[in-house]
């Protein structure tokens, strides 16, 4: 029954966020370039696991945040995530042609449109957070903007991607690999949790420490499992090109630890996430999402 309940909750949040994203993204008739607006919607809608919005909503439950406030935070973080995927797939980065089971944006449209779609999604995320509504105070909105900006920039996701590109063909230590992924993947996952919490009551110092510890464990677990799946799953299951990391000689947890070692490490990180959430009230869904991250097949 617990598994059925979490699945039903996940599906409800995913459907809610899809609807909110559809409303928040520019449409062809809204002005500007209809092609650009269409490419932004292509990049975001109708695909993806929505892990970051799910984490945002789960953390919001801890602080009794309203669903309408969480809609804005979840959509903003998902737009940033989608923009990062669009840019990562470009020929100057990972040069990939498959994402979420369909052609990447620059393949479906063209390279220049892919670049602009990512730019448009990034700015749309902050425009959404800056809208004046009754769901969030000015202080909360400002905190959300700052959290997302820090997670996205040179000391977060963009910095991690830069390190990733610089590390091709180089054997990293576990500490170096984890630092890269705390920035590239973990920073935005952590921001998703913090932003969900910001939408409700203020966390205590102890709750903030616990949520950050949970975020650190889940963020690393997500990347460890990604590395495992890149080795073990096929492209049809993943919805993106399998085996790219090995083909591009990128350092991964599998290349560092071996497949069995990486799987054992993912289990340790699951346990760490469960332990961190133990001191948070109303955190059943956070624990279930840690399980989802580790047990997923794509």
């Amino acid at each position: 029954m617990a598994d059925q309940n979490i699945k039903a909750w996940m599906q409800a949040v995913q459907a809610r966020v899809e609807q909110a994203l559809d409303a928040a993204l520019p449409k062809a008739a809204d002005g500007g370039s209809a092609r650009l607006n269409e490419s932004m919607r292509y990049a975001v809608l109708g695909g993806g696991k929505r892990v970051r919005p799910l984490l945002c909503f789960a953390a919001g439950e801890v602080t009794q945040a309203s669903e309408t406030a969480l809609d804005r935070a979840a959509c903003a973080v998902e737009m940033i995530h989608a923009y990062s995927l669009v840019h990562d797939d470009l020929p100057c980065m990972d040069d990939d042609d498959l994402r979420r089971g369909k052609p990447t944006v620059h393949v479906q449209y063209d390279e220049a449109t892919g670049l602009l779609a990512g730019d448009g999604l990034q700015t749309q995320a902050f425009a959404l957070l800056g809208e004046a509504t009754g769901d969030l105070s000015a202080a909360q909105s400002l905190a959300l903007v700052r959290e997302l900006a820090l997670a996205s920039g040179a000391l977060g996701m963009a910095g991690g991607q830069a390190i990733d590109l610089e590390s091709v063909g180089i054997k990293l230590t576990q500490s170096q690999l984890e630092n890269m992924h705390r920035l590239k993947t973990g920073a935005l996952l952590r921001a998703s949790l913090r932003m969900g919490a910001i939408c409700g009551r203020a966390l205590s110092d102890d709750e903030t420490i616990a949520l950050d510890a949970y975020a650190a464990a889940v963020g690393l677990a997500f990347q460890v499992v990604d590395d495992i799946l890149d080795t073990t799953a096929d492209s049809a299951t993943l919805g993106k090109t399998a085996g790219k990391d090995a083909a591009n000689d990128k350092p991964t947890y599998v290349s560092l630890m071996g497949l069995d070692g990486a799987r054992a490490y993912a289990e340790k990180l699951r346990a760490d996430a469960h332990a961190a959430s133990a001191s948070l009230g109303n955190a059943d869904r956070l624990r279930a999402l840690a399980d989802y991250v580790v047990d997923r097949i794509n």
Side-chain angles (χ1 to χ4, degrees):
M1 182 62 71
D3 286 346
Q4 291 177 349
N5 287 341
I6 189 64
K7 286 179 182 177
W9 174 80
M10 288 174 64
Q11 289 169 355
V13 171
Q14 289 162 339
R16 182 183 180 93
V17 170
E18 184 79 8
Q19 185 175 16
L21 284 166
D22 179 59
L25 288 165
K27 298 177 175 62
D30 288 344
S33 166
R35 181 178 175 84
L36 175 59
N37 294 351
E38 179 187 286
S39 70
M40 291 167 63
R41 297 175 70 82
Y42 177 89
V44 177
L45 298 176
K49 297 176 286 293
R50 309 299 188 208
V51 171
R52 290 150 193 83
L54 288 167
L55 290 169
C56 185
F57 268 78
E61 288 195 351
V62 174
T63 60
Q64 295 86 51
S66 73
E67 288 188 328
T68 49
L70 290 169
D71 285 340
R72 294 173 63 196
C75 286
V77 78
E78 189 69 3
M79 287 180 193
I80 292 291
H81 174 55
Y83 122 70
S84 76
L85 298 181
V86 174
H87 280 190
D88 284 359
D89 290 335
L90 289 171
C92 62
M93 295 279 207
D94 290 345
D95 193 14
D96 219 330
D97 58 5
L98 185 67
R99 174 69 67 178
R100 294 177 173 174
K102 61 185 183 181
T104 49
V105 174
H106 73 273
V107 171
Q108 181 72 14
Y109 295 89
D110 55 66
E111 189 173 344
T113 301
L115 181 66
L116 291 171
D119 292 344
L121 288 169
Q122 181 179 191
T123 54
Q124 189 72 16
F126 290 105
L128 181 61
L129 291 180
E131 289 179 2
T133 70
D135 301 323
L136 295 164
S137 68
Q140 285 173 308
S141 293
L142 182 60
L144 290 172
V145 168
R146 184 176 188 277
E147 195 69 51
L148 190 55
L150 288 174
S152 305
L155 299 180
M157 182 180 67
Q161 176 68 1
I163 295 171
D164 189 22
L165 293 171
E166 294 162 6
S167 301
V168 173
I170 298 174
K171 186 174 178 59
L172 300 183
T173 65
Q174 182 173 338
S175 176
Q176 290 171 323
L177 189 61
E178 289 186 354
N179 178 61
M180 177 176 78
H181 288 305
R182 282 194 180 98
L183 300 177
K184 182 183 176 183
T185 306
L188 200 58
L189 289 167
R190 179 189 186 197
S192 304
L193 290 154
R194 285 188 163 195
M195 290 169 69
I198 287 168
C199 289
R201 65 167 176 80
L203 291 171
S204 69
D205 290 344
D206 287 345
E207 287 175 321
T208 299
I209 291 169
L211 192 65
D212 281 350
Y214 172 90
V218 167
L220 283 181
F222 189 93
Q223 188 60 52
V224 173
V225 173
D226 251 17
D227 289 354
I228 292 169
L229 293 174
D230 188 68
T231 302
T232 61
D234 56 36
S235 298
T237 301
L238 290 179
K240 59 184 180 180
T241 307
K244 286 279 288 187
D245 291 339
N248 293 333
D249 200 18
K250 285 191 173 185
T252 68
Y253 289 96
V254 173
S255 66
L256 180 69
M257 301 176 166
L259 188 56
D260 289 343
R263 284 172 169 157
Y265 191 41
E267 289 300 331
K268 177 191 178 299
L269 291 167
R270 184 209 302 260
D272 290 346
H274 283 191
S277 65
S279 61
L280 294 169
N282 203 23
D284 288 349
R285 283 171 179 155
L286 287 176
R287 286 186 282 277
L289 286 175
D291 292 336
Y292 171 71
V293 164
V294 175
D295 294 335
R296 65 196 169 94
I297 61 171
N298 59 20

mmCIF file of all heavy atoms in Angstrom, residues 159-184:
data_model
loop_
_atom_site.group_PDB
_atom_site.id
_atom_site.type_symbol
_atom_site.label_atom_id
_atom_site.label_comp_id
_atom_site.label_asym_id
_atom_site.label_seq_id
_atom_site.Cartn_x
_atom_site.Cartn_y
_atom_site.Cartn_z
ATOM 1 N N GLY A 159 29.538 25.435 -13.104
ATOM 2 C CA GLY A 159 30.903 25.117 -12.696
ATOM 3 C C GLY A 159 31.186 23.631 -12.751
ATOM 4 O O GLY A 159 32.281 23.207 -13.172
ATOM 5 N N GLY A 160 30.211 22.820 -12.343
ATOM 6 C CA GLY A 160 30.385 21.373 -12.402
ATOM 7 C C GLY A 160 30.521 20.868 -13.820
ATOM 8 O O GLY A 160 31.321 19.971 -14.111
ATOM 9 N N GLN A 161 29.734 21.453 -14.732
ATOM 10 C CA GLN A 161 29.831 21.063 -16.145
ATOM 11 C C GLN A 161 31.197 21.441 -16.707
ATOM 12 O O GLN A 161 31.782 20.684 -17.501
ATOM 13 C CB GLN A 161 28.712 21.724 -16.940
ATOM 14 C CG GLN A 161 28.761 21.475 -18.448
ATOM 15 C CD GLN A 161 28.477 20.038 -18.844
ATOM 16 O OE1 GLN A 161 28.225 19.194 -17.993
ATOM 17 N NE2 GLN A 161 28.530 19.755 -20.127
ATOM 18 N N ALA A 162 31.719 22.583 -16.299
ATOM 19 C CA ALA A 162 33.047 22.993 -16.761
ATOM 20 C C ALA A 162 34.116 22.002 -16.294
ATOM 21 O O ALA A 162 35.000 21.610 -17.066
ATOM 22 C CB ALA A 162 33.365 24.401 -16.259
ATOM 23 N N ILE A 163 34.018 21.588 -15.028
ATOM 24 C CA ILE A 163 34.970 20.607 -14.509
ATOM 25 C C ILE A 163 34.832 19.290 -15.256
ATOM 26 O O ILE A 163 35.833 18.628 -15.570
ATOM 27 C CB ILE A 163 34.758 20.407 -12.995
ATOM 28 C CG1 ILE A 163 35.092 21.694 -12.233
ATOM 29 C CG2 ILE A 163 35.622 19.254 -12.473
ATOM 30 C CD1 ILE A 163 34.697 21.656 -10.767
ATOM 31 N N ASP A 164 33.590 18.905 -15.563
ATOM 32 C CA ASP A 164 33.338 17.672 -16.308
ATOM 33 C C ASP A 164 34.051 17.706 -17.666
ATOM 34 O O ASP A 164 34.720 16.743 -18.063
ATOM 35 C CB ASP A 164 31.824 17.503 -16.496
ATOM 36 C CG ASP A 164 31.441 16.145 -17.075
ATOM 37 O OD1 ASP A 164 32.239 15.202 -16.957
ATOM 38 O OD2 ASP A 164 30.349 16.036 -17.642
ATOM 39 N N LEU A 165 33.922 18.812 -18.370
ATOM 40 C CA LEU A 165 34.565 18.937 -19.673
ATOM 41 C C LEU A 165 36.086 18.927 -19.554
ATOM 42 O O LEU A 165 36.785 18.379 -20.415
ATOM 43 C CB LEU A 165 34.098 20.223 -20.363
ATOM 44 C CG LEU A 165 32.622 20.274 -20.771
ATOM 45 C CD1 LEU A 165 32.240 21.663 -21.246
ATOM 46 C CD2 LEU A 165 32.323 19.253 -21.858
ATOM 47 N N GLU A 166 36.587 19.517 -18.480
ATOM 48 C CA GLU A 166 38.030 19.572 -18.263
ATOM 49 C C GLU A 166 38.610 18.223 -17.832
ATOM 50 O O GLU A 166 39.833 18.019 -17.902
ATOM 51 C CB GLU A 166 38.358 20.618 -17.184
ATOM 52 C CG GLU A 166 38.043 22.049 -17.590
ATOM 53 C CD GLU A 166 37.945 22.994 -16.390
ATOM 54 O OE1 GLU A 166 38.235 22.541 -15.246
ATOM 55 O OE2 GLU A 166 37.585 24.167 -16.582
ATOM 56 N N SER A 167 37.746 17.305 -17.408
ATOM 57 C CA SER A 167 38.204 16.046 -16.823
ATOM 58 C C SER A 167 38.201 14.875 -17.796
ATOM 59 O O SER A 167 38.533 13.757 -17.401
ATOM 60 C CB SER A 167 37.324 15.692 -15.609
ATOM 61 O OG SER A 167 37.386 16.713 -14.633
ATOM 62 N N VAL A 168 37.810 15.120 -19.047
ATOM 63 C CA VAL A 168 37.795 14.039 -20.034
ATOM 64 C C VAL A 168 39.211 13.450 -20.180
ATOM 65 O O VAL A 168 40.180 14.180 -20.364
ATOM 66 C CB VAL A 168 37.288 14.544 -21.396
ATOM 67 C CG1 VAL A 168 37.446 13.465 -22.464
ATOM 68 C CG2 VAL A 168 35.838 14.975 -21.287
ATOM 69 N N GLY A 169 39.296 12.126 -20.056
ATOM 70 C CA GLY A 169 40.577 11.456 -20.200
ATOM 71 C C GLY A 169 41.467 11.505 -18.984
ATOM 72 O O GLY A 169 42.592 10.997 -19.012
ATOM 73 N N ILE A 170 40.979 12.117 -17.898
ATOM 74 C CA ILE A 170 41.770 12.249 -16.670
ATOM 75 C C ILE A 170 41.190 11.331 -15.598
ATOM 76 O O ILE A 170 39.978 11.263 -15.413
ATOM 77 C CB ILE A 170 41.756 13.714 -16.168
ATOM 78 C CG1 ILE A 170 42.390 14.631 -17.218
ATOM 79 C CG2 ILE A 170 42.485 13.826 -14.831
ATOM 80 C CD1 ILE A 170 42.287 16.098 -16.857
ATOM 81 N N LYS A 171 42.047 10.635 -14.878
ATOM 82 C CA LYS A 171 41.589 9.767 -13.786
ATOM 83 C C LYS A 171 41.455 10.605 -12.521
ATOM 84 O O LYS A 171 42.441 11.133 -12.003
ATOM 85 C CB LYS A 171 42.580 8.618 -13.562
ATOM 86 C CG LYS A 171 42.105 7.595 -12.544
ATOM 87 C CD LYS A 171 43.052 6.422 -12.467
ATOM 88 C CE LYS A 171 42.617 5.399 -11.421
ATOM 89 N NZ LYS A 171 41.273 4.851 -11.696
ATOM 90 N N LEU A 172 40.228 10.757 -12.045
ATOM 91 C CA LEU A 172 39.963 11.549 -10.845
ATOM 92 C C LEU A 172 39.929 10.658 -9.611
ATOM 93 O O LEU A 172 39.582 9.479 -9.692
ATOM 94 C CB LEU A 172 38.621 12.281 -10.976
ATOM 95 C CG LEU A 172 38.452 13.260 -12.130
ATOM 96 C CD1 LEU A 172 37.086 13.927 -12.042
ATOM 97 C CD2 LEU A 172 39.553 14.319 -12.118
ATOM 98 N N THR A 173 40.252 11.232 -8.466
ATOM 99 C CA THR A 173 40.047 10.539 -7.200
ATOM 100 C C THR A 173 38.562 10.580 -6.863
ATOM 101 O O THR A 173 37.786 11.350 -7.462
ATOM 102 C CB THR A 173 40.826 11.212 -6.072
ATOM 103 O OG1 THR A 173 40.288 12.532 -5.855
ATOM 104 C CG2 THR A 173 42.317 11.325 -6.414
ATOM 105 N N GLN A 174 38.140 9.786 -5.900
ATOM 106 C CA GLN A 174 36.734 9.804 -5.493
ATOM 107 C C GLN A 174 36.343 11.181 -4.991
ATOM 108 O O GLN A 174 35.254 11.673 -5.286
ATOM 109 C CB GLN A 174 36.461 8.751 -4.421
ATOM 110 C CG GLN A 174 34.997 8.696 -4.000
ATOM 111 C CD GLN A 174 34.684 7.545 -3.067
ATOM 112 O OE1 GLN A 174 35.411 6.559 -3.020
ATOM 113 N NE2 GLN A 174 33.611 7.664 -2.312
ATOM 114 N N SER A 175 37.225 11.821 -4.244
ATOM 115 C CA SER A 175 36.942 13.159 -3.722
ATOM 116 C C SER A 175 36.744 14.163 -4.861
ATOM 117 O O SER A 175 35.830 14.995 -4.818
ATOM 118 C CB SER A 175 38.083 13.617 -2.806
ATOM 119 O OG SER A 175 37.862 14.941 -2.363
ATOM 120 N N GLN A 176 37.598 14.092 -5.878
ATOM 121 C CA GLN A 176 37.472 15.004 -7.016
ATOM 122 C C GLN A 176 36.199 14.732 -7.807
ATOM 123 O O GLN A 176 35.508 15.661 -8.232
ATOM 124 C CB GLN A 176 38.697 14.855 -7.925
ATOM 125 C CG GLN A 176 39.982 15.394 -7.332
ATOM 126 C CD GLN A 176 41.198 15.029 -8.171
ATOM 127 O OE1 GLN A 176 41.285 13.928 -8.729
ATOM 128 N NE2 GLN A 176 42.145 15.945 -8.267
ATOM 129 N N LEU A 177 35.879 13.463 -7.982
ATOM 130 C CA LEU A 177 34.668 13.092 -8.719
ATOM 131 C C LEU A 177 33.423 13.569 -7.975
ATOM 132 O O LEU A 177 32.487 14.110 -8.570
ATOM 133 C CB LEU A 177 34.634 11.576 -8.919
ATOM 134 C CG LEU A 177 33.544 11.026 -9.845
ATOM 135 C CD1 LEU A 177 33.694 11.566 -11.260
ATOM 136 C CD2 LEU A 177 33.573 9.491 -9.853
ATOM 137 N N GLU A 178 33.420 13.389 -6.664
ATOM 138 C CA GLU A 178 32.267 13.812 -5.870
ATOM 139 C C GLU A 178 32.126 15.329 -5.867
ATOM 140 O O GLU A 178 31.010 15.852 -5.913
ATOM 141 C CB GLU A 178 32.382 13.255 -4.454
ATOM 142 C CG GLU A 178 32.168 11.750 -4.406
ATOM 143 C CD GLU A 178 32.137 11.191 -2.998
ATOM 144 O OE1 GLU A 178 32.401 11.955 -2.049
ATOM 145 O OE2 GLU A 178 31.854 9.989 -2.862
ATOM 146 N N ASN A 179 33.238 16.034 -5.817
ATOM 147 C CA ASN A 179 33.167 17.491 -5.868
ATOM 148 C C ASN A 179 32.546 17.956 -7.181
ATOM 149 O O ASN A 179 31.697 18.853 -7.196
ATOM 150 C CB ASN A 179 34.555 18.100 -5.707
ATOM 151 C CG ASN A 179 34.531 19.616 -5.806
ATOM 152 O OD1 ASN A 179 33.893 20.303 -5.009
ATOM 153 N ND2 ASN A 179 35.214 20.153 -6.801
ATOM 154 N N MET A 180 32.964 17.330 -8.284
ATOM 155 C CA MET A 180 32.407 17.687 -9.585
ATOM 156 C C MET A 180 30.893 17.481 -9.608
ATOM 157 O O MET A 180 30.136 18.340 -10.066
ATOM 158 C CB MET A 180 33.064 16.850 -10.678
ATOM 159 C CG MET A 180 32.498 17.095 -12.069
ATOM 160 S SD MET A 180 33.380 16.154 -13.339
ATOM 161 C CE MET A 180 32.654 14.518 -13.111
ATOM 162 N N HIS A 181 30.433 16.342 -9.095
ATOM 163 C CA HIS A 181 29.017 16.023 -9.179
ATOM 164 C C HIS A 181 28.189 16.748 -8.121
ATOM 165 O O HIS A 181 26.986 16.937 -8.316
ATOM 166 C CB HIS A 181 28.806 14.519 -9.113
ATOM 167 C CG HIS A 181 29.248 13.823 -10.368
ATOM 168 N ND1 HIS A 181 28.765 14.175 -11.604
ATOM 169 C CD2 HIS A 181 30.137 12.824 -10.594
ATOM 170 C CE1 HIS A 181 29.319 13.427 -12.536
ATOM 171 N NE2 HIS A 181 30.160 12.605 -11.948
ATOM 172 N N ARG A 182 28.794 17.145 -7.022
ATOM 173 C CA ARG A 182 28.059 18.005 -6.071
ATOM 174 C C ARG A 182 27.689 19.321 -6.732
ATOM 175 O O ARG A 182 26.657 19.919 -6.408
ATOM 176 C CB ARG A 182 28.909 18.263 -4.828
ATOM 177 C CG ARG A 182 28.934 17.117 -3.841
ATOM 178 C CD ARG A 182 29.499 17.534 -2.495
ATOM 179 N NE ARG A 182 29.518 16.410 -1.579
ATOM 180 C CZ ARG A 182 30.577 15.660 -1.335
ATOM 181 N NH1 ARG A 182 31.725 15.932 -1.945
ATOM 182 N NH2 ARG A 182 30.511 14.650 -0.496
ATOM 183 N N LEU A 183 28.526 19.773 -7.645
ATOM 184 C CA LEU A 183 28.237 20.999 -8.375
ATOM 185 C C LEU A 183 27.343 20.729 -9.583
ATOM 186 O O LEU A 183 26.291 21.344 -9.734
ATOM 187 C CB LEU A 183 29.544 21.654 -8.844
ATOM 188 C CG LEU A 183 30.537 22.062 -7.755
ATOM 189 C CD1 LEU A 183 31.807 22.638 -8.377
ATOM 190 C CD2 LEU A 183 29.920 23.084 -6.805
ATOM 191 N N LYS A 184 27.734 19.795 -10.431
ATOM 192 C CA LYS A 184 27.038 19.579 -11.702
ATOM 193 C C LYS A 184 25.609 19.085 -11.514
ATOM 194 O O LYS A 184 24.679 19.553 -12.178
ATOM 195 C CB LYS A 184 27.825 18.583 -12.557
ATOM 196 C CG LYS A 184 27.191 18.329 -13.921
ATOM 197 C CD LYS A 184 27.954 17.287 -14.717
ATOM 198 C CE LYS A 184 27.242 16.991 -16.028
ATOM 199 N NZ LYS A 184 27.911 15.926 -16.798
#
